[in-house]
Amino acid sequence: ERDTFVIYDESRCRGADLKLNNDAVALVTLGLKMCKDKLMQAAARMRKLSEGQRLVFLVTAEVAVQARTHSQLDQGSKLTVHHILAWVMHNTVRSTSSGLTQWGEKGMVFATTHGCREVCRIEEKLDLEKLYARPLQKTSSDRIMRATQKLLVDRRTAVSPTCAW
């Protein structure tokens, strides 16, 4: 039991629970887009971190550059756990915010089509002409959500005016 070696990979670590010695050491590898949820799942395999178990982070040169840049360190500076965690949280915020528009749009579709089968089918919105014909413009998520809601309500009314709200 003392010489046990366990490998948890990302797809099979969620919920895994092996009884490990109090002095067990986990080697946690960090990818370029590591976010908090995956790091916490990996670290949580060590159930006794407060009782002697330890984590050691292994990073590639690319991850080290990103973490140092995020923490405004010289590229030769030593990375600490604090720097790694700050970089992981930065990745988490960036990942979450990049998906807000899609998340809001899916919520809007659900809210405006719930119970109305005729409207639930969503057509592809980006054909090549629309995708490449004009430059993209920055706009607020709120504006996108209001425009999406209007489009869905108009479509729902046109397709099936008898659907219950």
Side-chain angles (χ1 to χ4, degrees):
E1 190 175 278
R2 176 123 179 98
D3 297 326
T4 301
F5 184 83
V6 180
I7 296 178
Y8 296 112
D9 64 358
E10 180 182 340
S11 62
R12 287 176 278 282
C13 83
R14 203 169 281 268
D17 189 18
L18 290 177
K19 305 290 183 212
L20 301 172
N21 290 340
N22 287 352
D23 62 347
V25 178
L27 180 63
V28 180
T29 58
L30 303 177
L32 285 173
K33 295 181 180 179
M34 175 66 79
C35 291
K36 184 187 107 186
D37 60 328
K38 291 181 182 176
L39 177 60
M40 294 306 296
Q41 280 299 321
R45 300 311 99 216
M46 303 299 278
R47 306 284 191 202
K48 298 180 180 180
L49 283 172
S50 64
E51 298 175 28
Q53 291 181 346
R54 295 182 298 131
L55 299 174
V56 175
F57 295 118
L58 179 65
V59 301
T60 64
E62 294 167 302
V63 168
V65 167
Q66 281 188 8
R68 284 187 183 102
T69 300
H70 174 72
S71 295
Q72 299 176 341
L73 298 173
D74 293 330
Q75 289 305 315
S77 299
K78 181 179 178 180
L79 285 172
T80 66
V81 172
H82 175 75
H83 298 127
I84 295 295
L85 294 178
W87 171 76
V88 167
M89 289 307 299
H90 171 75
N91 288 346
T92 303
V93 169
R94 188 174 56 211
S95 174
T96 301
S97 64
S98 72
L100 283 178
T101 303
Q102 294 86 358
W103 174 80
E105 184 176 357
K106 290 187 185 319
M108 192 68 65
V109 168
F110 176 79
T112 58
T113 62
H114 186 66
C116 186
R117 291 185 188 145
E118 296 87 1
V119 186
C120 289
R121 189 180 72 237
I122 301 172
E123 297 172 15
E124 180 62 46
K125 291 195 292 187
L126 296 175
D127 57 22
L128 288 176
E129 184 178 314
K130 286 182 182 176
L131 189 60
Y132 294 107
R134 61 180 171 78
L136 297 177
Q137 298 174 339
K138 283 190 173 186
T139 188
S140 70
S141 295
D142 181 55
R143 188 172 178 188
I144 292 169
M145 291 304 108
R146 281 187 271 125
T148 301
Q149 181 182 23
K150 181 180 180 339
L151 178 78
L152 290 168
V153 168
D154 291 349
R155 182 168 174 232
R156 180 178 182 154
T157 304
V159 171
S160 182
T162 61
C163 283
W165 287 92

